[in-house]
Amino acid sequence: MKAFRLDELEAERAANDGAYLQFVRERNMSVGLYALGAGELDPQQPHQQDEVYFVVSGRAAITVGLETTQVSRGSVVYVPAGVAHKFHHITEDLRVMVVFSPPEG
């Protein structure tokens, strides 16, 4: 079993000065924590993997392809592989759990 605490993952991510911390990598999936500050721009490019975002905290909009929706704590968004997507209009620091399948990179 692998078990994690969100506060410890956030501290590790912040200590490494990165927006993204991958903390699980298995044969069929990977999981990470993604962080964007209020007002920050999301630099993402389309990924070659399907992904699911689970918003842990914060508020923003996300555009996936041509569709836009508002997200906040508890929101779950599926993004198919190869589809352009970005978080934007981030009004509260955003913390998002990201599941990639198959594993990212």
Side-chain angles (χ1 to χ4, degrees):
M1 170 174 37
K2 296 179 182 180
F4 304 91
R5 291 181 42 96
L6 189 58
D7 57 343
E8 292 170 355
L9 294 171
E10 175 62 16
E12 183 179 347
R13 185 206 56 77
N16 289 311
D17 293 325
Y20 184 70
L21 171 70
Q22 183 181 88
F23 60 92
V24 171
R25 183 175 180 83
E26 298 294 335
R27 183 172 41 100
N28 294 317
M29 62 178 276
S30 61
V31 183
L33 180 64
Y34 188 45
L36 293 167
E40 198 171 341
L41 298 177
D42 184 359
Q44 290 192 80
Q45 298 296 317
H47 305 284
Q48 295 179 2
Q49 305 83 2
D50 287 340
E51 59 187 307
V52 173
Y53 291 111
F54 172 72
V55 178
V56 176
S57 62
R59 290 188 180 280
I62 186 172
T63 298
V64 177
L66 300 175
E67 296 181 85
T68 299
T69 191
Q70 299 296 312
V71 294
S72 59
R73 181 178 162 205
S75 297
V76 179
V77 178
Y78 166 70
V79 179
V83 175
H85 58 285
K86 295 229 187 259
F87 289 99
H88 52 92
H89 295 94
I90 302 168
T91 58
E92 294 177 14
D93 291 352
L94 195 60
R95 298 299 180 269
V96 181
M97 195 83 56
V98 186
V99 179
F100 287 100
S101 182
E104 182 188 33

